[in-house]
Amino acid sequence: MSDAKDFVRTIRGVVGEDSFVGLHIPDITDVEKQKVRECLDSTFVSSVGSFVGEFEQSIAELTGAGYGVAVSNGTSALQVALELAGVGAGDDVIVPTLSFVATANAVSHAGAQPYFVDSDEETLGLSVEAVEAVLAAARSTPEGLVNGVTGRRIGAIVPMHTLGHPMRIVELVALADAYGIPVVEDAAESLGSRAGTSHTGTFGTLGILSFNGNKILTTGGGGMILTSDEELARRARHVTTTAKLPHRWEFEHDEVAYNYRMPNLNAALGVAQLKRLPEFLAAKRRLADRYRDAFEDLSGVHFLSEPDGTESNYWLCAVRVTGGVERRDELLEATNDAGLQCRPFWNLLHRQAPYRHLPHAPTPVADALQASVVCIPSSPALAAA
Ligand SMILES: *Cc1c(COP(=O)(O)O)cnc(C)c1O
């Protein structure tokens, strides 16, 4: 087994010898500054302005989603998407335990409870077999399918495309359809990723994207609800903009709603960043290819490639290491000491303080992945043309 020095040397060989290399640094040029200045000059900096509509339209076209509704962040996008899918108080929502905490928090904000399920070794996403086991053990009732473990209605399933790698979404949607459960895709990490020829986030009833500063494309903070259903899109826009009825001057609102609209200032940054997405995707693919080649000869380290039949955005490049969590931590320590910002996966959600009291499904694969994956520097600038 190669040692930590070899690991550091291999990464340095790909990213260069510069002192500090971040995990993922936003790539902002004069193109972005120009657009943001244009927005500032217009004085339409808040939730009214032309960049929001332009950004939504461009994302809808790029993803083929039909409709995009721009909101304040990915978490609020997921909360509203779940509510529009019919999730409410007392429900369970099936969520991968291997995800960022936002996935579970959005379920909680929607009044429901996450039911954590295992992951798939090959795709790093929700295990279709593990979900099937939960559904097969559920009871059919007049209110819907009831989780055999918790006695709560299963309101939705939220698959997530981990690090940008598409999970087995076609199989999952077919399974969910067979049980009549809506799928809401957390595609926060996978803008630009496709399963077959379709964009992630467009397979379920609704999907969401995030444009946080660490994602492949940023608006500073921001998110997008995706759907092909015109009525759901109209509802999404309505409830994220205080449910105000259109009128030239009256303030009439027809339900309790949210102020979750994306500000125009953020959308301006998004419009400029989106024009550069092809450049980011190409750079990340080049970086992934370089890492894969470089790690080829290193024993006990395996570069994580896109699953067969998919096209990943390679948002974060990552390796799986043998030797247990001790070796993982040894490599994390050596890389971070050497100015290479590397990170483990998130701690599993069913062990986090707000969620550890909840019942959950067995999680052997997620446990193994959590103890063995190291995310490595992935900024597009590291492989600029
Ligand atoms: C980033 C992210 C989100 C949304 O995050 P925001 O910071 O609220 O935009 C949701 N789920 C996953 C898996 C994420 O990585």
Side-chain angles (χ1 to χ4, degrees):
M1 200 156 60
S2 56
D3 67 12
K5 278 207 202 73
D6 300 326
F7 189 68
V8 168
R9 201 174 305 121
T10 304
I11 296 176
R12 279 289 177 201
V14 172
V15 304
E17 301 301 327
D18 284 354
S19 52
F20 177 80
V21 184
L23 182 68
H24 194 283
I25 311 292
D27 192 320
I28 310 238
T29 60
D30 285 341
V31 181
E32 284 85 353
K33 290 174 194 167
Q34 176 64 34
K35 273 285 176 223
V36 171
R37 174 168 285 280
E38 208 182 301
C39 179
L40 288 169
D41 289 344
S42 78
T43 76
F44 287 95
V45 293
S46 206
S47 50
V48 175
S50 64
F51 291 117
V52 180
E54 186 182 344
F55 188 48
E56 289 177 337
Q57 188 64 36
S58 303
I59 291 278
E61 274 166 26
L62 172 90
T63 58
Y67 303 91
V69 177
V71 295
S72 51
N73 54 57
T75 312
S76 58
L78 188 53
Q79 176 198 340
V80 170
L82 286 165
E83 290 174 5
L84 292 178
V87 169
D91 285 349
D92 269 355
V93 173
I94 295 178
V95 165
T97 189
L98 183 67
S99 185
F100 179 55
V101 72
T103 312
N105 286 346
V107 170
S108 305
H109 297 325
Q113 207 165 274
Y115 186 71
F116 299 111
V117 170
D118 206 9
S119 303
D120 180 64
E121 190 111 37
E122 154 84 11
T123 64
L124 316 174
L126 193 57
S127 158
V128 177
E129 290 77 15
V131 172
E132 187 159 26
V134 175
L135 299 182
R139 290 194 312 275
S140 196
T141 75
E143 289 75 47
L145 201 65
V146 167
N147 186 336
V149 176
T150 63
R152 298 158 65 96
R153 190 184 81 107
I154 300 172
I157 305 172
V158 180
M160 196 274 284
H161 304 288
T162 312
L163 309 182
H165 299 323
M167 59 84 64
R168 288 154 55 198
I169 188 65
V170 173
E171 287 166 75
L172 183 80
V173 168
L175 174 68
D177 282 351
Y179 283 90
I181 311 274
V183 169
V184 177
E185 268 178 278
D186 182 346
E189 303 182 354
S190 60
L191 177 65
S193 300
R194 289 166 194 276
T197 54
S198 298
H199 199 286
T200 53
T202 66
F203 291 85
T205 308
L206 298 122
I208 70 100
L209 301 170
S210 167
F211 311 112
N212 190 29
N214 63 353
K215 299 300 202 285
I216 189 165
L217 179 158
T218 189
T219 60
M224 184 88 64
I225 300 167
L226 304 175
T227 183
S228 61
D229 185 311
E230 187 179 359
E231 175 56 15
L232 286 176
R234 192 194 63 74
R235 289 277 306 144
R237 189 160 289 118
H238 190 59
V239 301
T240 55
T241 52
T242 70
K244 185 181 179 303
L245 300 179
H247 190 281
R248 286 175 69 197
W249 54 76
E250 297 281 4
F251 289 95
E252 191 65 25
H253 306 261
D254 65 357
E255 61 185 298
V256 177
Y258 303 106
N259 174 19
Y260 280 174
R261 193 71 166 148
M262 176 184 284
N264 202 40
L265 194 53
N266 299 77
L269 178 52
V271 164
Q273 281 262 288
L274 193 52
K275 291 199 176 30
R276 300 184 58 218
L277 183 64
E279 177 197 328
F280 295 158
L281 289 168
K284 280 178 176 289
R285 185 160 289 273
R286 269 196 302 277
L287 185 63
D289 289 344
R290 287 176 197 171
Y291 274 134
R292 193 183 301 102
D293 285 350
F295 283 118
E296 195 96 297
D297 303 325
L298 212 61
S299 64
V301 179
H302 172 71
F303 182 79
L304 294 172
S305 292
E306 63 199 350
D308 288 344
T310 74
E311 195 178 318
S312 176
N313 67 0
Y314 283 101
W315 168 55
L316 284 189
C317 287
V319 294
R320 192 147 182 213
V321 303
T322 54
V325 76
E326 297 76 16
R327 174 131 189 274
R328 183 202 73 171
D329 288 349
E330 190 192 319
L331 299 183
L332 282 169
E333 192 153 326
T335 46
N336 283 284
D337 282 352
L340 296 169
Q341 195 174 41
C342 292
R343 290 288 178 264
F345 260 140
W346 320 274
N347 288 342
L348 298 185
L349 292 173
H350 72 275
R351 296 215 186 86
Q352 303 264 4
Y355 300 114
R356 63 172 70 117
H357 65 286
L358 298 179
H360 60 83
T363 62
V365 177
D367 274 304
L369 286 170
Q370 205 279 329
S372 61
V373 169
V374 176
C375 298
I376 57 183
S378 302
S379 306
L382 295 173

